[in-house]
PDB file of all heavy atoms in Angstrom:
ATOM      1  N   GLU A 228     -16.058   8.059  21.659  1.00 96.00           N
ATOM      2  CA  GLU A 228     -15.920   8.359  20.223  1.00 96.00           C
ATOM      3  C   GLU A 228     -14.529   9.005  19.902  1.00 96.00           C
ATOM      4  O   GLU A 228     -13.952   8.561  18.800  1.00 96.00           O
ATOM      5  CB  GLU A 228     -17.045   9.345  19.861  1.00 96.00           C
ATOM      6  CG  GLU A 228     -18.450   8.815  19.844  1.00 96.00           C
ATOM      7  CD  GLU A 228     -19.517   9.837  19.943  1.00 96.00           C
ATOM      8  OE1 GLU A 228     -19.218  10.947  20.294  1.00 96.00           O
ATOM      9  OE2 GLU A 228     -20.674   9.395  19.747  1.00 96.00           O
ATOM     10  N   VAL A 229     -14.017   9.737  20.754  1.00 96.00           N
ATOM     11  CA  VAL A 229     -12.678  10.382  20.433  1.00 96.00           C
ATOM     12  C   VAL A 229     -11.619   9.269  20.466  1.00 96.00           C
ATOM     13  O   VAL A 229     -10.669   9.257  19.630  1.00 96.00           O
ATOM     14  CB  VAL A 229     -12.334  11.441  21.559  1.00 96.00           C
ATOM     15  CG1 VAL A 229     -10.873  11.859  21.513  1.00 96.00           C
ATOM     16  CG2 VAL A 229     -13.235  12.590  21.379  1.00 96.00           C
ATOM     17  N   LYS A 230     -11.760   8.283  21.407  1.00 96.00           N
ATOM     18  CA  LYS A 230     -10.768   7.205  21.376  1.00 96.00           C
ATOM     19  C   LYS A 230     -10.839   6.396  20.101  1.00 96.00           C
ATOM     20  O   LYS A 230      -9.832   5.986  19.578  1.00 96.00           O
ATOM     21  CB  LYS A 230     -10.971   6.345  22.660  1.00 96.00           C
ATOM     22  CG  LYS A 230      -9.910   5.170  22.794  1.00 96.00           C
ATOM     23  CD  LYS A 230     -10.097   4.400  24.029  1.00 96.00           C
ATOM     24  CE  LYS A 230      -8.878   3.436  24.221  1.00 96.00           C
ATOM     25  NZ  LYS A 230      -8.563   2.640  23.013  1.00 96.00           N
ATOM     26  N   LEU A 231     -12.063   6.075  19.696  1.00 96.00           N
ATOM     27  CA  LEU A 231     -12.233   5.347  18.438  1.00 96.00           C
ATOM     28  C   LEU A 231     -11.661   6.084  17.274  1.00 96.00           C
ATOM     29  O   LEU A 231     -10.971   5.463  16.374  1.00 96.00           O
ATOM     30  CB  LEU A 231     -13.684   5.111  18.195  1.00 96.00           C
ATOM     31  CG  LEU A 231     -14.437   4.025  19.067  1.00 96.00           C
ATOM     32  CD1 LEU A 231     -15.904   3.979  18.845  1.00 96.00           C
ATOM     33  CD2 LEU A 231     -13.779   2.651  18.917  1.00 96.00           C
ATOM     34  N   ILE A 232     -11.852   7.378  17.291  1.00 96.00           N
ATOM     35  CA  ILE A 232     -11.262   8.247  16.221  1.00 96.00           C
ATOM     36  C   ILE A 232      -9.775   8.236  16.208  1.00 96.00           C
ATOM     37  O   ILE A 232      -9.089   8.083  15.185  1.00 96.00           O
ATOM     38  CB  ILE A 232     -11.813   9.639  16.241  1.00 96.00           C
ATOM     39  CG1 ILE A 232     -13.304   9.663  15.913  1.00 96.00           C
ATOM     40  CG2 ILE A 232     -10.998  10.597  15.330  1.00 96.00           C
ATOM     41  CD1 ILE A 232     -14.031  10.935  16.315  1.00 96.00           C
ATOM     42  N   SER A 233      -9.217   8.345  17.402  1.00 95.00           N
ATOM     43  CA  SER A 233      -7.773   8.343  17.589  1.00 95.00           C
ATOM     44  C   SER A 233      -7.097   6.952  17.216  1.00 95.00           C
ATOM     45  O   SER A 233      -6.154   6.932  16.484  1.00 95.00           O
ATOM     46  CB  SER A 233      -7.403   8.628  19.014  1.00 95.00           C
ATOM     47  OG  SER A 233      -6.019   8.606  19.282  1.00 95.00           O
ATOM     48  N   ASP A 234      -7.821   5.941  17.624  1.00 96.00           N
ATOM     49  CA  ASP A 234      -7.313   4.567  17.280  1.00 96.00           C
ATOM     50  C   ASP A 234      -7.389   4.348  15.751  1.00 96.00           C
ATOM     51  O   ASP A 234      -6.482   3.706  15.168  1.00 96.00           O
ATOM     52  CB  ASP A 234      -8.131   3.513  17.930  1.00 96.00           C
ATOM     53  CG  ASP A 234      -7.973   3.525  19.490  1.00 96.00           C
ATOM     54  OD1 ASP A 234      -6.917   4.107  19.895  1.00 96.00           O
ATOM     55  OD2 ASP A 234      -8.755   2.822  20.188  1.00 96.00           O
ATOM     56  N   ALA A 235      -8.417   4.836  15.125  1.00 96.00           N
ATOM     57  CA  ALA A 235      -8.606   4.660  13.673  1.00 96.00           C
ATOM     58  C   ALA A 235      -7.571   5.409  12.859  1.00 96.00           C
ATOM     59  O   ALA A 235      -6.951   4.971  11.896  1.00 96.00           O
ATOM     60  CB  ALA A 235      -9.971   5.071  13.276  1.00 96.00           C
ATOM     61  N   GLN A 236      -7.189   6.643  13.463  1.00 95.00           N
ATOM     62  CA  GLN A 236      -6.145   7.469  12.798  1.00 95.00           C
ATOM     63  C   GLN A 236      -4.867   6.760  12.910  1.00 95.00           C
ATOM     64  O   GLN A 236      -4.050   6.638  11.934  1.00 95.00           O
ATOM     65  CB  GLN A 236      -6.138   8.831  13.356  1.00 95.00           C
ATOM     66  CG  GLN A 236      -5.106   9.760  12.759  1.00 95.00           C
ATOM     67  CD  GLN A 236      -4.965  11.099  13.388  1.00 95.00           C
ATOM     68  OE1 GLN A 236      -6.082  11.659  13.747  1.00 95.00           O
ATOM     69  NE2 GLN A 236      -3.863  11.704  13.469  1.00 95.00           N
ATOM     70  N   ALA A 237      -4.566   6.200  14.088  1.00 96.00           N
ATOM     71  CA  ALA A 237      -3.276   5.511  14.249  1.00 96.00           C
ATOM     72  C   ALA A 237      -3.165   4.320  13.366  1.00 96.00           C
ATOM     73  O   ALA A 237      -2.107   4.021  12.806  1.00 96.00           O
ATOM     74  CB  ALA A 237      -3.087   5.162  15.756  1.00 96.00           C
ATOM     75  N   ALA A 238      -4.261   3.529  13.348  1.00 96.00           N
ATOM     76  CA  ALA A 238      -4.276   2.413  12.458  1.00 96.00           C
ATOM     77  C   ALA A 238      -4.045   2.687  10.946  1.00 96.00           C
ATOM     78  O   ALA A 238      -3.346   2.030  10.188  1.00 96.00           O
ATOM     79  CB  ALA A 238      -5.567   1.550  12.620  1.00 96.00           C
ATOM     80  N   CYS A 239      -4.716   3.814  10.590  1.00 95.00           N
ATOM     81  CA  CYS A 239      -4.654   4.308   9.184  1.00 95.00           C
ATOM     82  C   CYS A 239      -3.207   4.665   8.838  1.00 95.00           C
ATOM     83  O   CYS A 239      -2.689   4.278   7.841  1.00 95.00           O
ATOM     84  CB  CYS A 239      -5.582   5.480   8.975  1.00 95.00           C
ATOM     85  SG  CYS A 239      -5.533   6.226   7.406  1.00 95.00           S
ATOM     86  N   THR A 240      -2.563   5.439   9.739  1.00 94.00           N
ATOM     87  CA  THR A 240      -1.222   5.865   9.522  1.00 94.00           C
ATOM     88  C   THR A 240      -0.275   4.686   9.544  1.00 94.00           C
ATOM     89  O   THR A 240       0.619   4.622   8.671  1.00 94.00           O
ATOM     90  CB  THR A 240      -0.824   6.837  10.608  1.00 94.00           C
ATOM     91  OG1 THR A 240      -1.674   7.993  10.543  1.00 94.00           O
ATOM     92  CG2 THR A 240       0.611   7.378  10.420  1.00 94.00           C
ATOM     93  N   ALA A 241      -0.450   3.733  10.449  1.00 95.00           N
ATOM     94  CA  ALA A 241       0.455   2.624  10.569  1.00 95.00           C
ATOM     95  C   ALA A 241       0.371   1.736   9.347  1.00 95.00           C
ATOM     96  O   ALA A 241       1.338   1.017   8.963  1.00 95.00           O
ATOM     97  CB  ALA A 241       0.170   1.899  11.868  1.00 95.00           C
ATOM     98  N   GLY A 242      -0.835   1.627   8.683  1.00 95.00           N
ATOM     99  CA  GLY A 242      -0.971   0.730   7.657  1.00 95.00           C
ATOM    100  C   GLY A 242      -0.475   1.228   6.275  1.00 95.00           C
ATOM    101  O   GLY A 242      -0.371   0.503   5.274  1.00 95.00           O
ATOM    102  N   GLU A 243      -0.247   2.503   6.198  1.00 93.00           N
ATOM    103  CA  GLU A 243       0.136   3.095   4.927  1.00 93.00           C
ATOM    104  C   GLU A 243       1.425   2.570   4.324  1.00 93.00           C
ATOM    105  O   GLU A 243       1.477   2.206   3.132  1.00 93.00           O
ATOM    106  CB  GLU A 243       0.316   4.608   5.061  1.00 93.00           C
ATOM    107  CG  GLU A 243      -1.022   5.335   5.199  1.00 93.00           C
ATOM    108  CD  GLU A 243      -2.002   5.125   4.073  1.00 93.00           C
ATOM    109  OE1 GLU A 243      -1.627   5.400   2.920  1.00 93.00           O
ATOM    110  OE2 GLU A 243      -3.085   4.617   4.353  1.00 93.00           O
ATOM    111  N   PRO A 244       2.497   2.361   5.069  1.00 92.00           N
ATOM    112  CA  PRO A 244       3.760   1.855   4.439  1.00 92.00           C
ATOM    113  C   PRO A 244       3.590   0.543   3.822  1.00 92.00           C
ATOM    114  O   PRO A 244       3.965   0.322   2.701  1.00 92.00           O
ATOM    115  CB  PRO A 244       4.715   1.837   5.654  1.00 92.00           C
ATOM    116  CG  PRO A 244       4.233   2.853   6.565  1.00 92.00           C
ATOM    117  CD  PRO A 244       2.780   2.782   6.460  1.00 92.00           C
ATOM    118  N   ALA A 245       2.980  -0.410   4.478  1.00 94.00           N
ATOM    119  CA  ALA A 245       2.721  -1.821   3.949  1.00 94.00           C
ATOM    120  C   ALA A 245       1.843  -1.670   2.748  1.00 94.00           C
ATOM    121  O   ALA A 245       2.061  -2.439   1.749  1.00 94.00           O
ATOM    122  CB  ALA A 245       2.214  -2.685   5.001  1.00 94.00           C
ATOM    123  N   LYS A 246       0.798  -0.837   2.797  1.00 93.00           N
ATOM    124  CA  LYS A 246      -0.170  -0.778   1.707  1.00 93.00           C
ATOM    125  C   LYS A 246       0.509  -0.300   0.433  1.00 93.00           C
ATOM    126  O   LYS A 246       0.384  -0.873  -0.633  1.00 93.00           O
ATOM    127  CB  LYS A 246      -1.209   0.294   2.102  1.00 93.00           C
ATOM    128  CG  LYS A 246      -2.146   0.658   1.046  1.00 93.00           C
ATOM    129  CD  LYS A 246      -3.158   1.765   1.486  1.00 93.00           C
ATOM    130  CE  LYS A 246      -4.039   2.312   0.331  1.00 93.00           C
ATOM    131  NZ  LYS A 246      -4.895   3.367   0.851  1.00 93.00           N
ATOM    132  N   TYR A 247       1.348   0.758   0.573  1.00 93.00           N
ATOM    133  CA  TYR A 247       2.035   1.276  -0.649  1.00 93.00           C
ATOM    134  C   TYR A 247       3.224   0.399  -1.077  1.00 93.00           C
ATOM    135  O   TYR A 247       3.543   0.395  -2.275  1.00 93.00           O
ATOM    136  CB  TYR A 247       2.417   2.744  -0.436  1.00 93.00           C
ATOM    137  CG  TYR A 247       1.228   3.624  -0.681  1.00 93.00           C
ATOM    138  CD1 TYR A 247       0.382   3.950   0.313  1.00 93.00           C
ATOM    139  CD2 TYR A 247       0.934   4.089  -1.967  1.00 93.00           C
ATOM    140  CE1 TYR A 247      -0.783   4.718   0.124  1.00 93.00           C
ATOM    141  CE2 TYR A 247      -0.166   4.834  -2.181  1.00 93.00           C
ATOM    142  CZ  TYR A 247      -1.055   5.150  -1.163  1.00 93.00           C
ATOM    143  OH  TYR A 247      -2.222   5.884  -1.425  1.00 93.00           O
ATOM    144  N   ALA A 248       3.818  -0.312  -0.178  1.00 92.00           N
ATOM    145  CA  ALA A 248       4.899  -1.204  -0.570  1.00 92.00           C
ATOM    146  C   ALA A 248       4.319  -2.348  -1.442  1.00 92.00           C
ATOM    147  O   ALA A 248       4.926  -2.785  -2.438  1.00 92.00           O
ATOM    148  CB  ALA A 248       5.523  -1.847   0.685  1.00 92.00           C
ATOM    149  N   ALA A 249       3.145  -2.803  -1.145  1.00 93.00           N
ATOM    150  CA  ALA A 249       2.480  -3.826  -1.924  1.00 93.00           C
ATOM    151  C   ALA A 249       2.111  -3.262  -3.299  1.00 93.00           C
ATOM    152  O   ALA A 249       2.220  -3.960  -4.310  1.00 93.00           O
ATOM    153  CB  ALA A 249       1.205  -4.310  -1.205  1.00 93.00           C
ATOM    154  N   ILE A 250       1.616  -2.044  -3.383  1.00 93.00           N
ATOM    155  CA  ILE A 250       1.302  -1.454  -4.654  1.00 93.00           C
ATOM    156  C   ILE A 250       2.568  -1.261  -5.512  1.00 93.00           C
ATOM    157  O   ILE A 250       2.538  -1.501  -6.757  1.00 93.00           O
ATOM    158  CB  ILE A 250       0.570  -0.049  -4.422  1.00 93.00           C
ATOM    159  CG1 ILE A 250      -0.696  -0.261  -3.723  1.00 93.00           C
ATOM    160  CG2 ILE A 250       0.319   0.616  -5.767  1.00 93.00           C
ATOM    161  CD1 ILE A 250      -1.441   0.979  -3.364  1.00 93.00           C
ATOM    162  N   ILE A 251       3.628  -0.848  -4.905  1.00 92.00           N
ATOM    163  CA  ILE A 251       4.882  -0.640  -5.681  1.00 92.00           C
ATOM    164  C   ILE A 251       5.337  -2.027  -6.149  1.00 92.00           C
ATOM    165  O   ILE A 251       5.736  -2.139  -7.452  1.00 92.00           O
ATOM    166  CB  ILE A 251       5.936  -0.084  -4.724  1.00 92.00           C
ATOM    167  CG1 ILE A 251       5.656   1.414  -4.424  1.00 92.00           C
ATOM    168  CG2 ILE A 251       7.414  -0.203  -5.376  1.00 92.00           C
ATOM    169  CD1 ILE A 251       6.569   1.957  -3.342  1.00 92.00           C
ATOM    170  N   LYS A 252       5.236  -3.001  -5.369  1.00 92.00           N
ATOM    171  CA  LYS A 252       5.614  -4.363  -5.788  1.00 92.00           C
ATOM    172  C   LYS A 252       4.752  -4.818  -7.018  1.00 92.00           C
ATOM    173  O   LYS A 252       5.270  -5.436  -7.954  1.00 92.00           O
ATOM    174  CB  LYS A 252       5.433  -5.359  -4.628  1.00 92.00           C
ATOM    175  CG  LYS A 252       5.867  -6.745  -4.964  1.00 92.00           C
ATOM    176  CD  LYS A 252       7.341  -6.908  -5.298  1.00 92.00           C
ATOM    177  CE  LYS A 252       7.790  -8.316  -5.511  1.00 92.00           C
ATOM    178  NZ  LYS A 252       9.175  -8.411  -5.958  1.00 92.00           N
ATOM    179  N   THR A 253       3.483  -4.545  -6.949  1.00 92.00           N
ATOM    180  CA  THR A 253       2.549  -4.944  -7.995  1.00 92.00           C
ATOM    181  C   THR A 253       2.987  -4.243  -9.270  1.00 92.00           C
ATOM    182  O   THR A 253       2.976  -4.787 -10.430  1.00 92.00           O
ATOM    183  CB  THR A 253       1.120  -4.595  -7.684  1.00 92.00           C
ATOM    184  OG1 THR A 253       0.784  -5.351  -6.527  1.00 92.00           O
ATOM    185  CG2 THR A 253       0.212  -4.920  -8.807  1.00 92.00           C
ATOM    186  N   ALA A 254       3.331  -2.908  -9.205  1.00 92.00           N
ATOM    187  CA  ALA A 254       3.726  -2.191 -10.443  1.00 92.00           C
ATOM    188  C   ALA A 254       4.969  -2.671 -11.020  1.00 92.00           C
ATOM    189  O   ALA A 254       5.105  -2.784 -12.233  1.00 92.00           O
ATOM    190  CB  ALA A 254       3.880  -0.677 -10.063  1.00 92.00           C
ATOM    191  N   GLU A 255       5.944  -2.966 -10.133  1.00 93.00           N
ATOM    192  CA  GLU A 255       7.186  -3.566 -10.709  1.00 93.00           C
ATOM    193  C   GLU A 255       7.061  -4.892 -11.265  1.00 93.00           C
ATOM    194  O   GLU A 255       7.681  -5.195 -12.298  1.00 93.00           O
ATOM    195  CB  GLU A 255       8.263  -3.578  -9.459  1.00 93.00           C
ATOM    196  CG  GLU A 255       8.665  -2.151  -9.006  1.00 93.00           C
ATOM    197  CD  GLU A 255       9.609  -2.253  -7.826  1.00 93.00           C
ATOM    198  OE1 GLU A 255       9.607  -3.293  -7.140  1.00 93.00           O
ATOM    199  OE2 GLU A 255      10.280  -1.226  -7.551  1.00 93.00           O
ATOM    200  N   THR A 256       6.175  -5.774 -10.693  1.00 93.00           N
ATOM    201  CA  THR A 256       5.958  -7.118 -11.188  1.00 93.00           C
ATOM    202  C   THR A 256       5.256  -6.979 -12.632  1.00 93.00           C
ATOM    203  O   THR A 256       5.667  -7.760 -13.515  1.00 93.00           O
ATOM    204  CB  THR A 256       4.993  -7.837 -10.253  1.00 93.00           C
ATOM    205  OG1 THR A 256       5.649  -7.975  -9.007  1.00 93.00           O
ATOM    206  CG2 THR A 256       4.658  -9.197 -10.856  1.00 93.00           C
ATOM    207  N   LEU A 257       4.392  -6.025 -12.783  1.00 92.00           N
ATOM    208  CA  LEU A 257       3.737  -5.830 -14.091  1.00 92.00           C
ATOM    209  C   LEU A 257       4.765  -5.378 -15.146  1.00 92.00           C
ATOM    210  O   LEU A 257       4.741  -5.925 -16.236  1.00 92.00           O
ATOM    211  CB  LEU A 257       2.656  -4.725 -13.953  1.00 92.00           C
ATOM    212  CG  LEU A 257       1.998  -4.422 -15.304  1.00 92.00           C
ATOM    213  CD1 LEU A 257       1.283  -5.626 -15.949  1.00 92.00           C
ATOM    214  CD2 LEU A 257       0.985  -3.247 -15.098  1.00 92.00           C
ATOM    215  N   ALA A 258       5.644  -4.488 -14.710  1.00 94.00           N
ATOM    216  CA  ALA A 258       6.691  -4.033 -15.706  1.00 94.00           C
ATOM    217  C   ALA A 258       7.618  -5.281 -16.045  1.00 94.00           C
ATOM    218  O   ALA A 258       8.038  -5.415 -17.158  1.00 94.00           O
ATOM    219  CB  ALA A 258       7.514  -2.976 -15.078  1.00 94.00           C
ATOM    220  N   ASP A 259       7.944  -6.103 -15.021  1.00 93.00           N
ATOM    221  CA  ASP A 259       8.743  -7.253 -15.292  1.00 93.00           C
ATOM    222  C   ASP A 259       8.054  -8.224 -16.202  1.00 93.00           C
ATOM    223  O   ASP A 259       8.713  -8.717 -17.204  1.00 93.00           O
ATOM    224  CB  ASP A 259       9.081  -7.990 -14.023  1.00 93.00           C
ATOM    225  CG  ASP A 259       9.987  -7.202 -13.142  1.00 93.00           C
ATOM    226  OD1 ASP A 259      10.757  -6.286 -13.621  1.00 93.00           O
ATOM    227  OD2 ASP A 259      10.067  -7.541 -11.890  1.00 93.00           O
ATOM    228  N   GLN A 260       6.802  -8.372 -16.109  1.00 92.00           N
ATOM    229  CA  GLN A 260       6.061  -9.278 -16.977  1.00 92.00           C
ATOM    230  C   GLN A 260       6.013  -8.738 -18.408  1.00 92.00           C
ATOM    231  O   GLN A 260       6.204  -9.517 -19.361  1.00 92.00           O
ATOM    232  CB  GLN A 260       4.584  -9.429 -16.478  1.00 92.00           C
ATOM    233  CG  GLN A 260       4.520 -10.221 -15.168  1.00 92.00           C
ATOM    234  CD  GLN A 260       3.137 -10.253 -14.568  1.00 92.00           C
ATOM    235  OE1 GLN A 260       2.291  -9.423 -14.970  1.00 92.00           O
ATOM    236  NE2 GLN A 260       2.888 -11.111 -13.685  1.00 92.00           N
ATOM    237  N   LEU A 261       5.904  -7.467 -18.502  1.00 93.00           N
ATOM    238  CA  LEU A 261       5.863  -6.858 -19.920  1.00 93.00           C
ATOM    239  C   LEU A 261       7.260  -6.969 -20.610  1.00 93.00           C
ATOM    240  O   LEU A 261       7.312  -7.319 -21.763  1.00 93.00           O
ATOM    241  CB  LEU A 261       5.434  -5.364 -19.835  1.00 93.00           C
ATOM    242  CG  LEU A 261       3.997  -5.053 -19.506  1.00 93.00           C
ATOM    243  CD1 LEU A 261       3.807  -3.588 -19.337  1.00 93.00           C
ATOM    244  CD2 LEU A 261       3.112  -5.605 -20.593  1.00 93.00           C
ATOM    245  N   ASN A 262       8.258  -6.776 -19.719  1.00 94.00           N
ATOM    246  CA  ASN A 262       9.622  -6.921 -20.301  1.00 94.00           C
ATOM    247  C   ASN A 262       9.934  -8.396 -20.702  1.00 94.00           C
ATOM    248  O   ASN A 262      10.596  -8.642 -21.658  1.00 94.00           O
ATOM    249  CB  ASN A 262      10.648  -6.434 -19.310  1.00 94.00           C
ATOM    250  CG  ASN A 262      10.735  -4.879 -19.226  1.00 94.00           C
ATOM    251  OD1 ASN A 262      10.663  -4.257 -20.275  1.00 94.00           O
ATOM    252  ND2 ASN A 262      11.035  -4.308 -18.088  1.00 94.00           N
ATOM    253  N   VAL A 263       9.422  -9.295 -19.914  1.00 94.00           N
ATOM    254  CA  VAL A 263       9.573 -10.740 -20.268  1.00 94.00           C
ATOM    255  C   VAL A 263       8.901 -11.021 -21.552  1.00 94.00           C
ATOM    256  O   VAL A 263       9.446 -11.731 -22.482  1.00 94.00           O
ATOM    257  CB  VAL A 263       9.056 -11.689 -19.178  1.00 94.00           C
ATOM    258  CG1 VAL A 263       8.943 -13.104 -19.600  1.00 94.00           C
ATOM    259  CG2 VAL A 263       9.928 -11.534 -17.908  1.00 94.00           C
ATOM    260  N   ALA A 264       7.690 -10.531 -21.796  1.00 92.00           N
ATOM    261  CA  ALA A 264       6.967 -10.734 -23.049  1.00 92.00           C
ATOM    262  C   ALA A 264       7.700 -10.051 -24.186  1.00 92.00           C
ATOM    263  O   ALA A 264       7.781 -10.576 -25.330  1.00 92.00           O
ATOM    264  CB  ALA A 264       5.575 -10.111 -22.913  1.00 92.00           C
ATOM    265  N   LEU A 265       8.296  -8.859 -23.949  1.00 94.00           N
ATOM    266  CA  LEU A 265       9.067  -8.230 -24.994  1.00 94.00           C
ATOM    267  C   LEU A 265      10.299  -9.005 -25.338  1.00 94.00           C
ATOM    268  O   LEU A 265      10.712  -9.138 -26.558  1.00 94.00           O
ATOM    269  CB  LEU A 265       9.411  -6.760 -24.586  1.00 94.00           C
ATOM    270  CG  LEU A 265       8.232  -5.786 -24.592  1.00 94.00           C
ATOM    271  CD1 LEU A 265       8.692  -4.452 -23.981  1.00 94.00           C
ATOM    272  CD2 LEU A 265       7.676  -5.507 -25.899  1.00 94.00           C
TER     273      LEU A 265
END
């Protein structure tokens, strides 16, 4: 159980940068789309 918990924590931490990079990209894309419409 401790190993599973440790592995899950490591995976959680390792996945954060890519996760938020994608969210940032989505936000910027939306802003670009609004500016194109304007």
